[in-house]
Structures are given as C-alpha cells and as structure tokens.
Amino acid sequence: MGDKMDEKKRGGYEIGAILHEMREEYWQGLSAVEESQGEQLECVSFLLGGELFAFETTSAAEVIRIPRLVKVPRVQELIVGVFNLRGEITAAIDIRPLLGLPSPPITASGRIIVVKGDKFKTGLLVESVRGVESFSLEGFEPVVQSLSGTQREFIRGQIRLEEQLVVLLDVVKLMKAPEILVEQQ
Amino acid sequence: MTKKSKYLDIFCREADEHLASLQQGLLALEREPANAELIHELLRNAHTLKGSAQMLGFADISAIGHRMEDLLKDVEGGKRQVSAPVIDLLLKGNDAITRMMRALTECQESPVNIEQFVAAFDRGEFTGGEFKESQASNEVGIGETVRAKVTTLDSLVNLVGELIINQRRFENRSASLKRLCTGTGNLSQAHELQAFSRGLEEDVLYQGFLIQELHGKAMALRMLPLKTITEEFRRMVRDLAREQGKEAELVVTGENIELDRVLLENLKPMLLHMLRNSIDHGLESAEERLMRGKPAQGTIRIAARYDGNSVRVDVRDDGRGIDPLQLKQTALQRGVIDKEEADLLRDDEALYLILRPGFSTSDEVTDLSGRGVGMDVVKNNIEQVKGTLALASEVGQYTEITLHLPLTLSVIEALLLVSAGQSFAVPLNYVQETMKIRGDELASVGGKEVITVRGVTTPLVSLATMLGLPEKKRFQQGGKIALVILKFRGHCLACSVDENIGSSEIVVKGLGMQLKSVAFISGATILGDGEPALILNVPDLFASAEGAATGKFRQAFEESLAVISRGKVLVVDDSITTRTMERSILLSHGYEVEIAISGEDALEKVAGRRFDLVISDIEMPGINGFELTKRLRGLEEYRDVPIMIVSSLSRDEDKRKAMEAGAQAYIIKGSFEQGALLDTVESLIG
C-alpha cells in the first residue's frame, strides 16, 4: 500500500484520485473473492507516536510535505506553527502530547494531513502516512480500559488487523476541541 | 426618508421592471410582429412608465415614455408596421430611460439631451448628439460588470498567490537547467539543450509578467475605495438639509482608503443613517446656529483612516450635541430603563441609550429619520462585521460616532522585519523609524535599558523576548543592534530585531477560525516567497512592554566586545562571494576581518600588521595560494601564524601541496556553510 503513496512534485496529492484508485482495486478484489467482507471504513492511515492511527477519508482534505512552519508567539505548544495552504493561513498541530503519545522527532517522512472541520481546516503533523485503506469494521473494538480521560475523548477504539492494531482517531471531536483553539484576551 | 425619496425608491423598482419587460418584449415582437397581445402589453408598460414619471415630475422620462407610447399606439392601430427601424427606435427610447434612471439613482445629471432626443425620435434617426459625451464615457454599461461571489474572489486571489509561488519554482528550474546545459559534454546535444533552455527562460519570464498583472487585477477585484459609497452622500446631505431649512456641508477625508467590498456594503447603510441623524437631530437651523455664534452652515465630517488592525471611520457634526440628561428622561418615559438604572448611568454611558431598539429622542418623529430605528440598524450592522462603535458628544458643540471596522482583507503599508529568525510585519502607521545603534549608546534607568531617540529617552526591549521566541542573533556586523521604533498614542518603544527588511504593501489576512485571537498578533500576510509572516499587534506590544524584562543588551554587548577580540583574520580570495561569506561568518562570531583580493594584496596587507590567522584561496590571478603560503612562511613574523586554505579543489594532491607549503588546515568551499569554516578557525586560534 505504501508505494501507492508516491506524491507528485508539489508535495501533495488528491485524496480523491487515490481514493478512486483504491476503490477500483477494492472492487476488483471483491469480484475475485466474490463475497464482501462486511462493512468497510475508508481511512487515511498514518504513524503517530510510533503507533498506527487512522481516521475516515471524509475528514481528510489532502496530504502535504511539511512546509516551513512559522511559529506563533505565546500559544499552546500543540500549535506548532502556521503555514500557507494555497493562500489560507493554516495552523499545524502536534496532537501527540494531547493523546499521551511519545514524540519521536519528525523526519523527512513526516507529513501534514489537512483535516477538514466545520469551521476551519487544520494541519495534523504525523510521522509518516501509510496510505488510504479500507478497514473491515468486523475487527473493531471499543477503546481499552487503561486509556486516560483525554485519550478516550479523541480515540474511538481500535481495529484488529492480522498483523497489527489500527487506532481510530475521532477527528470530528478533535476539530471541536478547545485544546486546539487559540482565543486569548 | 422624505415622501419624495420614498416614492422615488418605489418608482425606480417599478421602472426597472417595465424597462426590462419592454426590452424583452420588443425583441420578441421583432420575431412575431403580428402578436397583438404582446403589442398591447408593451403599450401598457410604456403608458405606466410615462404616468409614474409624470407624477414624480420627471418630465424628461415622461416625454420619452410618451413618444414610445404614441409609436406603439400607431403600431397597434395598424398605422405603422412592425419593422426593424421601428423596433430600433423603441429600443433607443428604452435605453435612454434606462440611462436616465441610473443617473437618477446615482444623483447624477441626466445623460440625455432631451430636446435633441425627442426630435431625433420623431425624425426616426439619431445623430449621436442625443447623449451627453462625458456621461457616456464615464458610465460602465450593464454588460461590463458582473456580479461575483466574494468567496469566489477570495479563492481567486489565493490561487493567484499560489501561481506566483509556483512561478518562482519555474524560474529556479529554468535557471538550473541553464547551468546544467553549460556542463554537457556531447556537443550536438549541448546546442539543442541550450536552445531549449533559452526558449524556456523566455517563456518563464513572459509568464512571470502575465502572472504579475493577473495578481494586480485579482487584488483589485476585492478592494474598492471608500469614495465609491461617499460620493453620492454630498448631494444627499445638501438636499436633505435644505428640505429642513438647514444648511449643511459634507466633508470627507480618507476617501481613497480601500476597503473590502463586503465592508463597504455594510458601511453604506450605517453611514446613511448616521448622516440622516446628524441632519435631522444634530444640526440646528441657520438662525439658531448664528445665535449661538456658529457659522450658518453646519458641517458633517466623515474621516476614515487606518488605525492599527482596523479602519476607523469618524462621523462628526458640529450641531447641538446629545444632552445626556434629556436622553435619560426620554428613556425613562419610554420605559427603556428604570429609575435605578438611570441613576447609575454616567453621562458618557447615557449616550449609548440611543442604540437601544425603539428609542427616539426627537419630539416629533420626522420623515427624515426615526432616530432609534436608524441607530439600531447601525449597531446591528457593525456587530455583523465584528466592529465596534463609540459615541462622544458635547452639548452645544458636536456629536461624534466612531466606527472601528476590522480588516478582513485590506492592503496596508507595513514594515517587514526579522525577529527570532522569522519574518514579521508591522503596520507602517505604528512605525516611527528604524535605526541601528551601537552597544555603547545604551543607558539604563531603574535597571531597565533605554536609548535616546531624537532627544527622548525611550525604553528598549527585545522583540523576540517579548514574543516569547528564542533570540536568534542580537548583534549585526560591527556590533550594532537593529531597532524599530514603534509609536502608539504618543509613546515610543524601541524594539530590537534581527534585521529590518523595509516597507512593503501587504495583504492583510485573518488567522482563521482556529486562531481566533492571538496575543501580539493581529493577522498575517503571505510574502513573495509564499511563506506567511505574522502581523504584529502594536497596542499589545505597548501594553506588555510596561514592566517588561530588561533586554540585557549591555551585558551582551560587553560580552560581545570581549568576543570581538577573539582574533584578527586576513581573508584572501578573488571571489567576492566567497570573501563576503567568509567575512560575515567570522564577523558574526566575533572575529575581526580584513580582506585581500589577491596574493599580492595579501602580502601588502600583512606588512606591518599582525594577523592571528590567514585564510586563503588557491586559484587566484597572480600568485596562487600555495605560493602565498610559502612566502608568508618566509616572513619572520608569519613563520608560526596559522594559515588555512579554502578551495574548491578537492584532490588529495592539492591538499598535500598545501600542507607542504606550510598550511595548517584545508577545507573545501561549500562545506563551510555547515560550520566547517568556523570549527576549523576555532580549532586553530580559539
């Protein structure tokens, strides 16, 4: 899946185009297997704090390479900086501390996933993007008991795959969280 | 509104409808000349138009309508056939009325020479003199304007901005292709490539011009000067005042301030209401004014200017002012407030009672404005654009309403500067000047550092420290500090910055809904390279500068003085780029640097002067670096001075030759950006 993610020169690509490709592949796969494997969830999957995360592609606008981020004075650490998204000033956020995750340094494979909310778009800093994948909801499990309050707030649960777990991020809730807003006096 | 103007409004709407159906109907009639129903409908349109115009006293419009009606009657009665010339004639009449209506709504003179027009209409042919020249040339025809959504315009502007950035990339690619071409071995291919490269370069250049122009046009789409709405006010003020037997003049300043068209659309009804209020309630009659020792003619001023991150519009009349006591009483009578509240209200607070819904102070509610209703509208509109409204008045002297409108998208002049390694913009109206000072020009007062700006002691703070950002560099070449002197409400504040870049026109953008309000920052702009730059909120800076931590410049300056004596270095290189780079790296790290442009020059410079280190290139006109090293070693006082070779030659043989000649170190050009130069210098002389 990862090699599907070759970005174009501009450093971004159309989720729509990739989705289309994915769907084609998915339908082809289905016709081969004949029978569907139950309800599917189309997600963009990525690494955050070394763990595999995902959220629905309906909330994702695009994936871009990390541009130079302009620091905003005296705001919460989560707001890493702002960047120019085709003429709109957009914030980049690092939600790993919010989710209680370790923060390994963001390297060249780091990306920004632009997330669409009701009122604004924000750039989610991730360690790398794995791709757009369809997950079967049959393997879905609710959030584990050991997670803390804030973690539970933004994590919906996990999907068991054969080889690993995918944590489902609740971006809709995240986009409404006061933690990512700046409203100073 | 007066009765007349109220009817005018209705008439305009009615006329628009009739003119539109005449236009459509006439074109349809040309296709189906025998359609009696259609002819009758057209006749009815022309008749109604004529009648309404007559009622309101628009004789000219009525005259043309009358001619059209007559002609249509002839057609209906079979006296004339529907033909192209007849349709043309009727369309001409329709056009003339359309133009006159537009002139009417814009309070302009009629664009039609009525006698000539009527004569031409009767004759059946037009000479061109029927329309006034100036009007015809000034007017923008309906076909020349389109309505567009502001969001569409916004994204257009954003996309053009992106286009500019992408253009830069093209330019860079074209430049690197050009460089690659010169290094190609195969001759025939090289020629082709070079031709291609030249062609590409030209295309990219031309596209650059086009994009630049496109950008200008796209920007202009969003912005309009204030005068687009104020121009018609002058006449309106004069006429409305006359109707009340008053004399008034409107003075507008700042008419050229460009505002987002959305803001202008919001501002227009606000200003209209305020002007009406001023004429209706504010200004006294000429006799009353003369009695009070005022000029007979009252003055209403609209003054617009940029004020920080907003546009400020003052509307001030020199009328009777607002009496807070009377206001309170009226408010009590109307049940807007109770006794308790009335007692608590200060005079300046009482003024704001006029903003409450359903409040009116005029004993007689005139046609001109029901004050309460009007001010209510103003308040609602200003809240819609997230602006503020302030009232000030002195009884017998003036009433002033101050609007602060936010800049959602405005172009301002700003100073661009670098602090903490990041670009920032400061609106130019807050900038007094920029300057560079030496460390020894610093003084301190009560432990706080100050400098003297034009004879005034001014506090000095570090911009980066105030913003809570890491300080990147404090001293420029020669140990100077770059400063921007900010001004606000008569006070000055000196802020140290990395560098002042210069002033530029910038487009103010909001930070969006995620960063709703950020301390110290009022917005952002996008620079030519596509990077965002934050716009500083100067009032915030002033507020926090009170009691701000001392910048510790003096201490740093003293430390830097100590550092400056780290050593004297002679840089020998025939390339100005290399020289300058080496020099600035060394200078910024506290070394003293002398430049020599050739081996011979170096030998002259070392005579009688002791350098702690010599850095030399190898390939230079005249004697080369190896030779220079050898000769220096031959000099008594340079036998043990470290010599360092910086060269683009990377063969081991060259390194060996350098060492044999007596050099201590050898680094390859290009690697010194990564700190190799400094590391090596430090390892040699500390």
Side-chain angles (χ1 to χ4, degrees):
Chain A
M1 210 61 72
D3 52 4
K4 290 252 169 271
M5 302 301 298
D6 274 351
E7 287 95 332
K8 286 168 192 162
K9 282 172 199 154
R10 277 299 320 271
Y13 53 75
E14 282 293 313
I15 283 285
I18 293 208
L19 257 178
H20 181 74
E21 206 176 297
M22 293 300 310
R23 278 201 201 94
E24 293 278 294
E25 208 169 82
Y26 173 64
W27 288 118
Q28 274 169 17
L30 271 194
S31 59
V33 183
E34 292 260 296
E35 194 44 60
S36 106
Q37 319 115 293
E39 208 184 329
Q40 298 280 313
L41 200 60
E42 278 176 329
C43 289
V44 54
S45 60
F46 50 92
L47 274 187
L48 210 56
E51 295 178 17
L52 187 62
F53 275 76
F55 62 85
E56 291 93 325
T57 46
T58 45
S59 291
E62 60 189 304
V63 175
I64 55 170
R65 286 180 193 280
I66 302 173
R68 204 172 89 92
L69 298 176
V70 172
K71 284 200 194 92
V72 182
R74 301 194 186 276
V75 289
Q76 59 267 45
E77 258 176 72
L78 183 140
I79 311 270
V80 184
V82 293
F83 62 99
N84 170 15
L85 182 69
R86 279 189 297 286
E88 267 175 56
I89 306 288
T90 311
I93 57 174
D94 183 355
I95 57 164
R96 294 178 296 181
L98 185 67
L99 297 178
L101 297 169
S103 300
I106 302 276
T107 60
S109 63
R111 292 289 183 275
I112 281 178
I113 304 177
V114 179
V115 186
K116 289 181 287 193
D118 285 346
K119 290 185 176 160
F120 55 85
K121 286 179 182 174
T122 196
L124 195 63
L125 266 177
V126 301
E127 287 140 31
S128 68
V129 169
R130 191 162 95 156
V132 175
E133 318 178 39
S134 290
F135 297 118
S136 166
L137 277 182
E138 278 170 14
F140 179 79
E141 297 172 339
V143 79
V144 290
Q145 292 294 319
S146 55
L147 291 190
S148 75
T150 12
Q151 287 176 313
R152 283 163 167 275
E153 205 169 321
F154 302 114
I155 292 174
R156 283 171 21 202
Q158 62 277 343
I159 298 171
R160 296 191 67 84
L161 298 183
E162 276 174 22
E163 75 280 22
Q164 67 187 125
L165 290 175
V166 186
V167 187
L168 268 188
L169 188 66
D170 193 341
V171 278
V172 177
K173 210 180 243 175
L174 179 70
M175 291 302 280
K176 287 179 180 153
E179 286 92 337
I180 70 163
L181 290 179
V182 180
E183 209 167 0
Q184 294 165 336
Q185 283 309 303
Chain B
M1 250 190 211
T2 61
K3 284 206 172 83
K4 189 167 177 179
S5 58
K6 193 152 71 193
Y7 288 127
L8 176 64
D9 195 29
I10 296 167
F11 173 62
C12 286
R13 265 181 281 160
E14 188 195 20
D16 278 350
E17 277 169 31
H18 288 301
L19 290 167
S21 35
L22 274 167
Q23 173 97 6
Q24 277 179 359
L26 287 169
L27 294 174
L29 187 64
E30 199 166 26
R31 289 195 303 274
E32 31 184 326
N35 190 338
E37 210 182 304
L38 185 57
I39 295 170
H40 192 76
E41 178 66 17
L42 290 171
L43 192 56
R44 200 185 58 81
N45 284 324
H47 177 80
T48 316
L49 199 53
K50 180 198 76 175
S52 310
Q54 208 168 22
M55 223 161 67
L56 287 178
F58 299 122
D60 295 0
I61 293 177
S62 169
I64 299 174
H66 188 71
R67 287 298 187 290
M68 289 172 74
E69 192 190 359
D70 283 350
L71 184 52
L72 281 162
K73 261 187 195 153
D74 286 352
V75 171
E76 192 180 40
K79 283 188 203 163
R80 288 187 76 160
Q81 290 297 310
V82 175
S83 63
V86 167
I87 298 283
D88 275 351
L89 210 52
L90 289 166
L91 282 174
K92 266 274 201 286
N94 206 40
D95 285 351
I97 297 178
T98 307
R99 287 200 194 188
M100 285 156 89
M101 288 305 301
R102 204 181 307 137
L104 205 62
T105 50
E106 288 168 9
C107 293
Q108 281 169 355
E109 247 186 292
S110 166
V112 179
N113 292 318
I114 191 67
E115 282 92 346
Q116 284 186 45
F117 186 89
V118 170
F121 194 92
D122 289 342
R123 246 192 349 264
E125 58 175 345
F126 290 85
T127 56
E130 295 81 21
F131 293 101
K132 290 176 191 160
E133 287 295 326
S134 61
Q135 291 294 335
S137 61
N138 275 340
E139 124 184 274
V140 181
I142 290 169
E144 292 165 44
T145 60
V146 289
R147 290 181 69 87
K149 273 191 186 170
V150 172
T151 50
T152 314
L153 291 179
D154 266 349
S155 57
L156 181 71
V157 171
N158 284 348
L159 287 172
V160 173
E162 280 304 294
L163 205 53
I164 292 173
I165 295 154
N166 210 44
Q167 171 70 13
R168 300 263 143 76
R169 291 178 207 212
F170 265 116
E171 283 164 11
N172 291 340
R173 297 237 183 249
S174 164
S176 35
L177 178 64
K178 198 177 174 185
R179 277 198 303 278
L180 285 174
C181 286
T182 54
T184 311
N186 184 324
L187 229 117
S188 68
Q189 266 188 2
H191 275 303
E192 254 174 70
L193 254 178
Q194 273 165 15
F196 176 80
S197 165
R198 268 197 305 277
L200 181 67
E201 200 179 355
E202 274 173 32
D203 292 348
V204 168
L205 192 68
Y206 182 56
Q207 179 162 301
F209 289 136
L210 292 180
I211 289 174
Q212 211 171 18
E213 203 166 317
L214 183 62
H215 185 238
K217 301 271 186 228
M219 293 297 303
L221 279 178
R222 274 294 303 237
M223 310 298 289
L224 287 173
L226 184 66
K227 67 173 165 222
T228 44
I229 62 166
T230 54
E231 259 172 359
E232 64 187 82
F233 290 162
R234 281 202 182 83
R235 173 75 185 274
M236 193 201 82
V237 165
R238 187 187 150 276
D239 290 356
L240 287 179
R242 280 189 157 232
E243 278 170 29
Q244 299 210 358
K246 295 175 180 176
E247 286 176 47
E249 185 198 15
L250 178 68
V251 179
V252 184
T253 54
E255 273 187 315
N256 287 323
I257 282 190
E258 292 212 323
L259 284 165
D260 197 288
R261 61 182 66 227
V262 176
L263 271 177
L264 279 181
E265 270 167 32
N266 267 287
L267 192 56
K268 191 173 172 180
M270 295 189 226
L271 289 177
L272 270 173
H273 278 291
M274 288 188 273
L275 291 175
R276 287 202 187 109
N277 279 337
S278 283
I279 297 164
D280 202 14
H281 308 281
L283 295 182
E284 312 90 334
S285 66
E287 302 84 61
E288 194 182 333
R289 289 181 64 87
L290 287 170
M291 248 167 54
R292 292 176 189 275
K294 290 178 176 181
Q297 189 183 53
T299 306
I300 305 176
R301 280 175 201 281
I302 297 179
R305 60 187 157 94
Y306 290 113
D307 184 14
N309 53 349
S310 60
V311 170
R312 173 181 172 156
V313 181
D314 297 320
V315 179
R316 181 186 174 115
D317 69 61
D318 61 350
R320 59 172 71 95
I322 301 175
D323 183 352
L325 284 178
Q326 204 183 320
L327 271 185
K328 278 193 203 176
Q329 254 164 17
T330 318
L332 269 173
Q333 278 167 17
R334 313 239 152 139
V336 177
I337 51 170
D338 54 27
K339 183 83 178 66
E340 238 172 283
E341 200 181 344
D343 290 341
L344 282 172
L345 275 180
R346 291 199 316 263
D347 282 358
D348 54 338
E349 288 169 343
L351 291 182
Y352 290 85
L353 286 171
I354 64 166
L355 300 179
R356 303 227 182 160
F359 189 90
S360 177
T361 54
S362 193
D363 290 340
E364 270 172 74
V365 178
T366 65
D367 276 346
L368 205 55
S369 60
R371 174 159 227 158
V373 178
M375 287 312 289
D376 200 17
V377 169
V378 171
K379 188 172 173 260
N380 285 341
N381 278 9
I382 199 128
E383 277 170 3
Q384 260 174 28
V385 297
K386 295 183 178 56
T388 63
L389 183 151
L391 292 165
S393 177
E394 197 177 318
V395 178
Q397 296 301 316
Y398 74 94
T399 305
E400 184 172 65
I401 303 174
T402 299
L403 305 178
H404 270 100
L405 303 166
L407 304 172
T408 51
L409 190 92
S410 287
V411 174
I412 60 165
E413 278 285 323
L415 172 74
L416 295 178
L417 56 85
V418 180
S419 178
Q422 253 176 228
S423 299
F424 288 94
V426 189
L428 216 51
N429 55 320
Y430 288 122
V431 177
Q432 174 162 311
E433 59 189 295
T434 62
M435 58 196 288
K436 284 178 190 171
I437 57 155
R438 300 176 53 82
D440 52 16
E441 292 173 62
L442 292 169
S444 82
V445 173
K448 301 286 161 82
E449 275 164 329
V450 293
I451 58 157
T452 305
V453 181
R454 296 178 191 276
V456 178
T457 305
T458 307
L460 171 65
V461 291
S462 153
L463 184 58
T465 308
M466 260 211 289
L467 297 177
L469 297 172
E471 190 102 37
K472 279 275 160 74
K473 71 174 186 188
R474 192 162 258 169
F475 293 103
Q476 294 198 316
Q477 277 184 17
K480 286 195 170 178
I481 305 170
L483 298 179
V484 54
I485 315 296
L486 300 175
K487 59 178 176 185
F488 177 60
R489 292 186 182 151
H491 294 282
C492 282
L493 178 67
C495 291
S496 69
V497 298
D498 297 352
E499 195 185 345
N500 285 307
I501 297 172
S503 66
S504 166
E505 239 181 23
I506 61 164
V507 176
V508 179
K509 285 171 181 276
L511 291 173
M513 293 298 287
Q514 186 173 8
L515 308 178
K516 276 186 186 166
S517 59
V518 180
F520 300 112
I521 302 301
S522 66
T525 187
I526 292 176
L527 302 176
D529 61 0
E531 301 271 350
L534 300 173
I535 302 172
L536 294 176
N537 184 330
V538 173
D540 273 8
L541 288 176
F542 271 82
S544 94
E546 280 175 26
T550 170
K552 298 201 172 85
F553 286 101
R554 270 166 30 121
Q555 190 192 333
F557 183 67
E558 272 151 28
E559 278 168 14
S560 84
L561 276 181
V563 172
I564 278 170
S565 56
R566 275 174 93 172
K568 292 177 191 156
V569 181
L570 178 66
V571 169
V572 192
D573 203 307
D574 60 324
S575 148
I576 182 158
T577 315
T578 314
R579 284 201 305 260
T580 316
M581 258 174 104
E582 291 177 1
R583 181 169 179 268
S584 64
I585 291 171
L586 292 171
L587 271 179
S588 65
H589 289 84
Y591 296 95
E592 227 177 307
V593 182
E594 184 84 21
I595 292 286
I597 57 167
S598 66
E600 288 83 351
D601 189 22
L603 288 172
E604 269 177 39
K605 295 245 158 84
V606 298
R609 241 193 115 179
R610 170 86 189 194
F611 288 96
D612 301 307
L613 171 72
V614 177
I615 301 177
S616 176
D617 189 16
I618 296 177
E619 290 179 317
M620 292 181 288
I623 60 169
N624 67 18
F626 301 136
E627 183 62 29
L628 175 65
T629 308
K630 275 185 206 151
R631 291 207 196 170
L632 284 172
R633 287 289 175 247
L635 297 170
E636 177 68 28
E637 57 274 41
Y638 279 87
R639 188 164 293 153
D640 302 317
V641 171
I643 298 174
M644 193 175 145
I645 299 291
V646 175
S647 167
S648 50
L649 302 176
S650 58
R651 289 178 308 164
D652 286 344
E653 190 184 337
D654 296 310
K655 290 182 190 170
R656 198 165 30 78
K657 271 167 90 175
M659 297 305 154
E660 277 169 13
Q664 268 79 10
Y666 190 107
I667 64 169
I668 316 270
K669 273 185 195 174
S671 66
F672 60 65
E673 286 161 53
Q674 285 98 47
L677 178 82
L678 206 61
D679 289 348
T680 316
V681 170
E682 277 175 357
S683 73
L684 290 174
I685 60 170

